[in-house]
Amino acid sequence: MPVIDSARVEPRPDAPAGVRPRAARVAGPFAAALFLLAVLVLSLAFGAKQLSPSEVWHGLTDPHAPAYTVVRQIRLPRTLLGLLAGAALGLAGGLMQALTRNPLADPGLLGINAGAASAVVSAISFFGITSFTGYVWFAFAGAAAVSVLVWAVGGGRGATPVRLALAGTAVNAVMYAYVNAVQLLDTDSLDRMRFWTVGSLASARPSTVTGILPFVVAGTVLALLLARPLNALALGEESANALGARPARTRAGTIVAVTLLCGAATAACGPIGFVGLMVPHLVRALVGPDLRLLLPYCALLAPTTLLGADVLGRVLARPGEVQVGIVTAVLGGPFFLHVVRRGRWARA
């Protein structure tokens, strides 16, 4: 058992008891919100043409400002979409890691994003559906089907982290092979979706933001409501039942929340990986495993990560850009290897 240095945790003699813990509870969310606000401003300011903060402000508030079209019609929808999609992916990753007890659980690694992507590609290629409101339902169906498939192939209730990771990798490969095959056979589909399939915020429109909003809000509310039951489930089914949590209902609600969050994010901006893997790990190192704290922090720091990667892609390839899905893959790949090498789950 680790030895705790009491000098580090006891408050100063001249400070009232509980001041420092309360200050930490207030400072943590405030710092996370401040980071998010800073990245939101950077997302509005950086692009093919860099804008100053004053130009961004006038572009938001003054219809006659030179930057109004760039800020309000192009960068603002892109920033809001990144905010919603990032929060959705971060929450989905936190829920999946808690439900499966798998540190590698991520909507991208377990094939859920690929399932939603394959369903959207099918809707566009075979049914001619091109609007977000039309193919988002296909994304939900694909995400739900792959969630159940990976859970079943991985062993159901007897699933181990290794088996789930292997099952997710296999399903992920099959889904992406299908997506590539459909696009190669349908050149029109390839032209429309070549950026979407790598994960991109570049095609954001106000209608896309309003379309994704209710699904992300519903998934977020459900995820926060599931925090306490999932905490109880982490103690085991008997303990969860004794604490009043219903394991079957909790698992079903988690799958519904993950389906809403992943389906909406993937339908809007394509399959973006590693955000749901990296952010919950980083948050867990800061606040511990309690989902009542972990999930709200994920909802703040995941969009910070996604928008930060999007800004980085725009800066590195200016006046062009590197799609955000490529940037998160480049950043998340080494992080994934670090988790694999460091974690004891690989020896399970």
Side-chain angles (χ1 to χ4, degrees):
M1 184 175 181
V3 178
I4 300 176
D5 185 358
S6 59
R8 295 184 178 181
V9 297
E10 292 180 355
R12 299 189 313 272
D14 57 338
V19 169
R20 292 177 65 184
R22 187 180 300 113
R25 289 195 296 269
V26 173
F30 178 77
L34 193 62
F35 275 118
L36 177 58
L37 179 61
V39 174
L40 290 174
V41 174
L42 291 176
S43 180
L44 293 173
F46 283 92
K49 178 184 178 182
Q50 183 175 337
L51 302 176
S52 66
S54 62
E55 288 177 316
V56 170
W57 175 253
H58 288 297
L60 286 172
T61 58
D62 184 5
H64 303 290
Y68 180 82
T69 300
V70 173
V71 174
R72 286 293 296 265
Q73 298 183 13
I74 299 176
R75 294 186 186 176
L76 182 60
R78 181 174 187 153
T79 301
L80 293 177
L81 180 60
L83 176 67
L84 293 174
L89 294 173
L91 287 170
L95 288 174
M96 292 177 65
Q97 290 176 16
L99 178 65
T100 63
R101 302 180 192 178
N102 181 1
L104 299 182
D106 169 76
L109 293 175
L110 294 188
I112 296 176
N113 287 348
S118 63
V120 171
V121 169
S122 299
I124 293 175
S125 297
F126 301 137
F127 301 103
I129 300 174
T130 57
S131 65
F132 173 82
T133 54
Y135 58 65
V136 66
W137 305 106
F138 286 82
F140 290 144
V146 170
S147 298
V148 175
L149 179 62
V150 170
W151 181 257
V153 174
R157 292 188 177 182
T160 63
V162 173
R163 293 181 66 179
L164 282 173
L166 292 175
T169 301
V171 172
N172 200 40
V174 171
M175 293 293 103
Y176 276 122
Y178 170 77
V179 169
N180 292 331
V182 171
Q183 289 185 321
L184 289 175
L185 294 174
D186 185 353
T187 56
D188 292 336
S189 174
L190 177 61
D191 290 338
R192 289 194 301 266
M193 303 186 65
R194 63 180 183 272
F195 292 121
W196 182 88
T197 52
V198 298
S200 174
L201 300 176
S203 60
R205 298 290 182 271
S207 59
T208 307
V209 175
T210 56
I212 193 179
L213 180 61
F215 302 112
V216 174
V217 169
T220 299
V221 171
L222 183 56
L224 296 178
L225 291 175
L226 288 167
R228 189 180 295 273
L230 283 172
N231 279 340
L233 192 61
L235 303 174
E237 292 207 16
E238 293 183 1
S239 299
N241 284 318
L243 292 171
R246 299 181 180 180
R249 182 177 294 181
T250 300
R251 291 191 181 96
T254 303
I255 292 175
V256 171
V258 170
T259 299
L260 285 171
L261 295 169
C262 292
T266 303
C269 46
I272 298 175
F274 293 105
V275 174
L277 172 69
M278 293 187 292
V279 174
H281 274 281
L282 297 176
V283 172
R284 197 173 293 113
L286 295 174
V287 303
D290 187 352
L291 294 173
R292 293 173 298 176
L293 294 175
L294 186 143
L295 292 178
Y297 271 93
C298 286
L300 289 173
L301 294 179
T304 303
T305 303
L306 184 62
L307 286 172
D310 186 45
V311 172
L312 182 62
R314 283 184 259 172
V315 171
L316 290 177
R318 186 185 295 173
E321 65 178 85
V322 179
Q323 303 303 320
V324 65
I326 298 175
V327 179
T328 58
V330 171
L331 297 176
F335 185 88
F336 173 76
L337 295 177
H338 169 71
V339 173
V340 170
R341 290 178 59 85
R342 186 170 176 236
R344 296 181 180 179
W345 66 271
R347 297 190 292 272

